[in-house]
């Protein structure tokens, strides 16, 4: 019982700490890539935020709750029907992301010539590592810890609510989109017993959007000049 209580205290601390960090970054105006790229030293601050997220969601959770490490340490190929659904979901996520970013008008994509390829590599390494830790926490630790006390639908509900809460400082569109997206990722984590499948789906969504944004705000400007 003591170990159980300690684990939940850790979970609460990690969640609340990152929530407060996100609130501070929102007030600083560097809570996402677009704002960071158009703010002096914004990308460095955003990298710091994701590094803190890696520590809180990834390293601390992995170290202090070792019974769930199998969700990261092992990956099995699911049955063909589920594998096909997974591939289609990745493709759909990437396509939705592309539609979202391509609809933005060129005048909405302000130039930022201070960043180059070196900044891009560093950012995306940190960002994608953060996403893995993020998935381990939300679709691993939270989901499977809730499953120890309740049913799958309720565990998914609780994990998704917290996932939406952590998105409180994003746009209304992103907050609403986090609801079905969070449910889908939880289902994949549960039926594959792995966070790698939710991570790859999330990666497909994030990579297309942010690579496109980074290119048009920075690299395209540098190449053309």
């Amino acid at each position: 019982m003591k170990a159980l209580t300690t684990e939940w205290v850790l979970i609460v601390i990690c969640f609340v700490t990152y929530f407060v960090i996100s609130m501070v970054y929102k007030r600083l105006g560097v809570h996402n890539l677009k704002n960071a790229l158009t703010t002096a030293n914004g990308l460095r601050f955003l990298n710091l935020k994701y590094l803190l997220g890696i520590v809180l969601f990834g390293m601390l959770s992995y170290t202090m709750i070792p019974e769930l490490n199998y969700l990261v340490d092992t990956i099995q190929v699911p049955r063909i029907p589920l594998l096909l659904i997974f591939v289609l979901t990745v493709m759909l996520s990437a396509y939705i992301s592309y539609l979202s970013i391509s609809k933005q008008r060129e005048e909405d994509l302000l130039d930022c010539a201070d960043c180059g390829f070196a900044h891009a590599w560093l950012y995306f390494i940190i960002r994608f590592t953060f996403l893995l830790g993020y998935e381990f926490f939300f679709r691993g630790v939270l989901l499977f810890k809730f499953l120890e006390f309740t049913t799958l639908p309720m565990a998914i509900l609780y994990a998704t609510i917290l996932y939406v809460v952590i998105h409180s400082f994003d746009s209304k569109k992103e907050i609403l989109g986090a609801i079905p997206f969070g449910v889908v990722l939880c289902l994949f984590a549960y039926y594959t017993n792995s966070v790698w499948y939710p991570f790859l789906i999330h990666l497909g969504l994030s990579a297309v959007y942010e690579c496109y944004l980074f290119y048009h705000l920075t690299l395209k400007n540098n190449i053309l000049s």
Side-chain angles (χ1 to χ4, degrees):
M1 184 67 182
K2 184 178 180 181
L4 184 64
T5 303
T6 302
E7 289 177 349
W8 277 104
V9 169
L10 173 68
I11 290 170
V12 171
I13 290 174
C14 290
F15 182 88
V16 172
T17 301
Y18 194 78
F19 182 86
V20 172
I21 291 171
S22 297
M23 180 174 63
V24 171
Y25 269 73
K26 174 67 174 181
R27 293 184 177 181
L28 291 174
V30 289
H31 61 290
N32 59 37
L33 181 59
K34 183 178 180 180
N35 290 334
L37 287 174
T38 54
T39 303
N41 295 313
L43 194 61
R44 293 183 178 88
F45 281 110
L46 193 59
N47 284 340
L48 176 59
K49 177 187 177 184
Y50 291 141
L51 286 171
L52 292 172
I54 291 171
V55 173
L56 291 169
F57 293 144
M59 296 174 66
L60 282 179
S61 299
Y62 188 87
T63 303
M64 302 300 294
I65 312 178
E67 67 268 22
L68 294 177
N69 289 357
Y70 72 92
L71 295 168
V72 177
D73 295 342
T74 61
I75 180 170
Q76 298 179 350
V77 179
R79 294 182 178 181
I80 296 300
L82 183 57
L83 183 60
L84 290 176
I85 294 174
F86 164 72
V87 172
L88 289 174
T89 304
V90 172
M91 295 173 63
L92 180 61
S93 298
Y95 181 66
I96 291 174
S97 184
Y98 172 75
L99 289 180
S100 176
I101 187 64
S102 62
K103 286 181 179 179
Q104 294 194 29
R105 297 175 298 178
E106 286 297 326
E107 55 265 31
D108 291 333
L109 300 177
L110 305 175
D111 287 333
C112 173
D114 295 332
C115 302
F117 286 102
H119 300 86
W121 280 111
L122 179 61
Y123 170 78
F124 286 115
I125 288 173
I126 295 174
R127 170 63 172 164
F128 297 157
T129 303
F130 164 77
L131 285 181
L132 179 59
Y134 193 69
E135 288 304 319
F136 178 64
F137 184 82
F138 283 94
R139 258 62 69 167
V141 173
L142 285 180
L143 177 64
F144 284 84
K145 280 299 176 183
F146 282 132
L147 280 171
E148 295 178 0
F149 302 99
T150 188
T151 62
L152 177 61
M154 294 307 298
I156 291 177
L157 175 63
Y158 297 148
T160 302
I161 288 174
L162 292 176
Y163 178 58
V164 172
V165 170
I166 211 70
H167 277 274
S168 298
F169 307 106
D170 294 327
S171 66
K172 184 181 295 186
K173 180 180 178 181
E174 290 173 307
I175 294 173
L176 293 176
I179 299 174
F181 193 61
V183 172
V184 169
L185 295 183
C186 283
L187 288 171
F188 272 104
Y190 177 77
Y191 285 109
T192 62
N193 272 315
S194 173
V195 298
W196 285 100
Y197 292 94
F199 164 69
L200 291 173
I201 294 171
H202 205 155
L203 184 64
L205 185 76
S206 179
V208 171
Y209 185 92
E210 296 194 0
C211 286
Y212 185 99
L213 188 64
F214 203 107
Y215 172 75
H216 279 270
L217 287 177
T218 65
L219 303 182
K220 180 180 179 180
N221 184 62
N222 290 338
I223 292 171
L224 293 178
S225 60

